[in-house]
Each structure stands twice: as C-alpha cells, then as structure tokens.
C-alpha cells in the first residue's frame, strides 16, 4: 500500500471467459471472433460495480466489501479492481465445511451486519439483486460482508420506476419478480430482502 503496509488482496479481473480467450506470453485478454458480447457495455458494468463497492464499502461499518484501486493493464488488455482478502471465505464455504450456524450466531453475525449493508445500499438507491451465500464473505471478526455487485442497479433521483430489462435472477435465492422477463418494477428493497431471507433460511 502507499503507507508501506503489507496486506493480502484479491484482484478481480474483467475477463468474461465465455466471450474472451488468452493470447501470447503475457496472457493478453482478447475477445472471441464470433460473439454477441458488447465489450464497452460490459466493461462499463464492471467499472460501475467497482465504483459502487468503492463508495459504499469504504463507509465505516458498512459490511460491504470495499473496492480499492480500479485500473487498466495494457499488457493484459483488460481492467482490474482491488479488494481485501477474507481468510474465512464465504457463507457457502462455511456451510460446505460443516460449520454449525446457531441462531445466536446467525442473528449477531449474519442478519445484523447484512441488514446494515442493505440499509446503506438502499439509502444510496442501490439494489444488489444477487444476494446468496457465495456472495457473502466473513471478515476477521466473524461478521458477514456483502460482495459482488455485478448485477446491482443504481437508481436515479427522479423516478421510482425503472426498466429492469436484462436483469434476471438466476439463483435459487432470487425473488419471483426477478424471474419476470422485461418487467418494469417500482423501486424498493423487496428483491434484496427476499434474497437475504432465502439465504438465512438456507
């Protein structure tokens, strides 16, 4: 870091593996010849995700993973952003390892932190839209932190209704309104609350 402190980090790379491939000794990211993929649109979504996590995650006690630097690498021809490394992994990792989730643990270390994260996001008119155990990491205090804002939607100040065309829930944790093709919905926290509830139930 700029202060000389050494710490483990994660680099998230813009590399849509279904539409890109690697070339050369420097593993340059190159778009496939035949694809319907719009690189500029998808790269903007990647930068938007990083900027949301930078803004919300760097708020004290946010329980949202903070993004650090966002940068382009000419050598690999793609974008990256920096995040902290969480040694405990995700809630999904802990479940798969057989962790005993007592009621007290879930309320103190999952429900309260995630409600704080969602309250902060919704105040900023951001919906996460993909809450599930694999998108919830665990910090060094054992508290849940929300990550992966890749399908998040930022709402403007004027309208409470936005077209969500192209945003569909693909996980078992997505609310029913997320499965409606081309739906126009009124802004509100319902999809995220459904995802959180389904995660807690799971």
């Amino acid at each position: 870091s700029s202060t000389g402190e050494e710490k483990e980090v994660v680099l998230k790379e813009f590399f849509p593996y279904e539409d890109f491939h690697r070339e050369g000794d420097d593993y340059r990211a190159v778009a496939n010849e035949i694809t319907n993929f719009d690189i500029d649109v998808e790269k903007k979504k990647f930068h938007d995700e990083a900027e949301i996590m930078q803004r919300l995650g760097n708020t004290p006690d946010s329980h949202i993973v903070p993004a650090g630097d966002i940068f382009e690498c000419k050598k690999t021809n793609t974008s990256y952003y920096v995040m902290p490394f969480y040694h405990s992994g995700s809630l999904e990792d802990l479940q798969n390892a057989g962790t005993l989730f007592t009621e007290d643990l879930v309320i103190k270390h999952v429900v309260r932190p995630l409600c704080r994260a969602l309250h902060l996001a919704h105040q900023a008119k951001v919906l996460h839209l993909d809450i599930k155990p694999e998108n919830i990491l665990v910090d060094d205090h054992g508290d849940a932190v929300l990550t992966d804002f890749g399908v998040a939607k930022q709402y403007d100040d004027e309208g409470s209704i936005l077209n969500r065309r192209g945003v569909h829930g693909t996980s078992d944790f997505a609310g029913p309104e997320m499965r409606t093709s081309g739906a126009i919905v009124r802004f509100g926290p319902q999809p995220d609350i459904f995802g959180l509830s389904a995660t807690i139930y799971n």
Side-chain angles (χ1 to χ4, degrees):
S1 75
S2 58
T3 61
E5 177 191 10
E6 289 189 12
K7 55 185 176 182
E8 289 182 277
V9 297
V10 172
L11 278 183
K12 185 166 183 177
E13 179 185 45
F14 177 72
F15 186 81
Y17 65 92
E18 291 180 354
D19 297 278
F20 273 45
H21 62 278
R22 306 275 190 189
E23 285 184 3
D25 293 338
D26 53 7
Y27 298 101
R28 188 173 179 80
V30 179
N32 296 342
E33 206 169 305
I34 301 172
T35 179
N36 295 321
F37 187 77
D38 188 324
I39 295 173
D40 293 334
V41 168
E42 296 304 319
K43 193 172 268 194
K44 183 179 183 323
K45 287 181 186 176
F46 182 83
H47 281 260
D48 288 348
E49 172 187 10
E51 286 165 9
I52 287 170
M53 292 173 68
Q54 208 171 44
R55 182 163 42 97
L56 299 181
N58 287 300
T59 302
D61 196 35
S62 70
H63 297 285
I64 293 171
V65 173
D69 294 335
I70 309 164
F71 61 93
E72 299 280 327
C73 178
K74 289 182 180 177
K75 186 176 179 182
T76 57
N77 190 38
T78 192
S79 303
Y80 300 85
Y81 68 84
V82 180
M83 297 182 292
F85 177 71
Y86 292 87
H87 294 87
S88 297
S90 68
L91 286 185
E92 183 180 60
D93 295 332
L94 293 175
Q95 271 187 297
N96 292 339
T99 301
L100 178 62
F101 288 93
T102 63
E103 185 177 322
D104 188 57
L105 184 149
V106 170
I107 290 170
K108 285 182 181 174
H109 295 285
V110 179
V111 176
R112 286 181 184 164
L114 290 179
C115 284
R116 165 70 180 153
L118 290 181
H119 179 68
L120 183 70
H122 296 161
Q123 278 188 321
K125 293 194 173 186
V126 172
L127 286 183
H128 185 280
L129 299 174
D130 196 22
I131 296 175
K132 55 189 176 184
E134 68 187 81
N135 287 342
I136 298 167
L137 301 178
V138 178
D139 69 15
D140 292 340
H141 305 290
D143 290 334
V145 284
L146 190 57
T147 192
D148 198 344
F149 281 73
V151 298
K153 285 291 180 186
Q154 174 75 61
Y155 291 80
D156 61 28
D157 291 331
E158 275 82 54
S160 59
I161 300 174
L162 282 183
N163 190 327
R164 267 211 351 261
R165 192 168 291 127
V167 180
H168 306 297
T170 56
S171 81
D172 294 336
F173 301 89
E177 68 273 28
M178 294 290 292
R179 302 178 187 278
T180 305
S181 178
I184 296 175
V185 296
R186 193 168 293 276
F187 167 76
Q190 292 85 351
D192 285 349
I193 291 172
F194 186 100
L196 177 58
S197 301
T199 295
I200 293 164
Y201 177 79
N202 181 67

